Amino acid sequence: QQQVKQSPQSLIVQKGGISIINCAYENTAFDYFPWYQQFPGKGPALLIAIRPDVSEKKEGRFTISFNKSAKQFSLHIMDSQPGDSATYFCAASGMDDYKLSFGAGTTVTVRA
Amino acid sequence: DADVTQTPRNRITKTGKRIMLECSQTKGHDRMYWYRQDPGLGLRLIYYSFDVKDINKGEISDGYSVSRQAQAKFSLSLESAIPNQTALYFCATSDFGQGEAGELFFGEGSRLTVL
C-alpha cells in the first residue's frame, strides 16, 4: 500500500500553461516532502523540497504548496515549457532516516 | 563520469537464473539504496544501507539480497529470477546532514527483463 498517493497519472499541457500535480499522505510522522523529476533514460533528480513549517516554496517556475491539516501537497509548474516534459514523483519521509516513500509518478507532456 | 554508476544498464535473463546488479559511487556518501520502478507504482525501496556494516530491508525485499562490499559499492542480487521481477532498478546515495537534507542521488538505472 503506497504511503503517498499521487494524481493525475499523466497530464498534457500547452506551452505556457500551468501543470498541477497533487499528492496526499496519511503518516503524520512525515516531515520532509521532496519532488523528483525524471527524464526518459535517466534517474530521478531532486527538483524542490518543502518542510511542514512553511505553506509554500517557490524556485523559479516551480512551486510547492503544502496543506498540513489536509495532509496534502502539490507541485505547480508555471509557464510550462517543452523541456519540462518528464515524469514527476512526489515523496515523503520522516526527519530521522530519510527513507523516502514515493508516489506513483505523473508523466507531464508539454506541447509546443 | 557519473557519480553513481550502475552495471549492467540492460539485462535479459531467464527464469531461475541468478542475477547481480552492481552500483558504485564516487560521491563519498555513506548511505546507499536500491529502488525498483514499475509503471503506475512509482519507486519502491528494496534495501538500504547506512554504512558498510548496516543492511536493512525496505518495502519489497522478498526475492532480493544485497551486499555492501565497501563504502562505495552496493550490489543487488536476485537469487532465482522470476518474471515479475522485470523492472527498472535504481541505485541511489545520500549524505545525511549535508546540503538538502535527505536528497537522493540516483544512478541511470538497470533495466532487467526476466523471461
Side-chain angles (χ1 to χ4, degrees):
Chain A
Q1 183 180 359
Q2 283 195 300
Q3 297 196 58
V4 181
K5 297 190 185 326
Q6 182 173 349
S7 63
Q9 184 174 359
S10 64
L11 67 90
I12 299 173
V13 63
Q14 292 296 121
K15 180 180 175 181
I18 302 173
S19 304
I20 302 174
I21 306 169
N22 299 301
C23 288
Y25 65 97
E26 288 297 326
N27 189 343
T28 55
F30 286 156
D31 61 5
Y32 173 66
F33 303 90
W35 286 86
Y36 280 75
Q37 180 187 53
Q38 182 183 30
F39 293 107
K42 300 294 186 182
L46 180 66
L47 179 64
I48 187 173
I50 197 168
R51 298 192 186 281
D53 53 345
V54 297
S55 61
E56 185 175 285
K57 182 174 181 180
K58 182 176 181 179
E59 290 187 2
R61 295 182 293 104
F62 298 89
T63 300
I64 300 178
S65 297
F66 185 81
N67 185 330
K68 187 174 182 177
S69 61
K71 291 184 284 188
Q72 296 176 346
F73 57 111
S74 61
L75 177 70
H76 291 62
I77 307 174
M78 313 301 287
D79 186 26
S80 297
Q81 300 296 312
D84 297 331
S85 296
T87 299
Y88 293 82
F89 294 96
C90 61
S93 75
M95 175 70 92
D96 294 337
D97 58 23
Y98 299 108
K99 293 197 316 294
L100 288 176
S101 294
F102 285 87
T106 298
T107 300
V108 173
T109 303
V110 182
R111 297 216 190 280
Chain B
D1 289 340
D3 293 323
V4 182
T5 302
Q6 293 183 229
T7 56
R9 294 292 313 279
N10 288 283
R11 181 73 183 267
I12 300 173
T13 191
K14 294 183 179 179
T15 297
K17 294 292 188 181
R18 183 177 187 275
I19 295 295
M20 179 180 288
L21 306 180
E22 298 185 340
C23 177
S24 63
Q25 53 117 343
T26 58
K27 298 191 74 66
H29 290 169
D30 287 327
R31 299 183 171 203
M32 298 188 73
Y33 310 76
W34 276 103
Y35 281 89
R36 167 178 172 161
Q37 182 176 1
D38 297 277
L41 295 177
L43 292 147
R44 292 179 292 167
L45 183 62
I46 306 172
Y47 271 95
Y48 62 102
S49 169
F50 284 176
D51 64 44
V52 174
K53 298 180 181 179
D54 175 75
I55 299 289
N56 303 281
K57 293 183 178 180
E59 306 169 59
I60 54 166
S61 59
D62 287 349
Y64 302 95
S65 63
V66 291
S67 174
R68 185 81 184 265
Q69 301 95 323
Q71 187 209 33
K73 296 184 182 297
F74 192 37
S75 59
L76 176 71
S77 294
L78 288 68
E79 296 301 325
S80 180
I82 57 177
N84 76 1
Q85 292 177 313
T86 293
L88 184 57
Y89 291 85
F90 284 101
C91 175
T93 73
S94 71
D95 189 11
F96 183 79
Q98 296 287 331
E100 179 66 59
E103 178 177 2
L104 293 179
F105 296 86
F106 285 85
E108 295 200 325
S110 295
R111 184 168 295 281
L112 176 65
T113 303
V114 183
L115 302 176

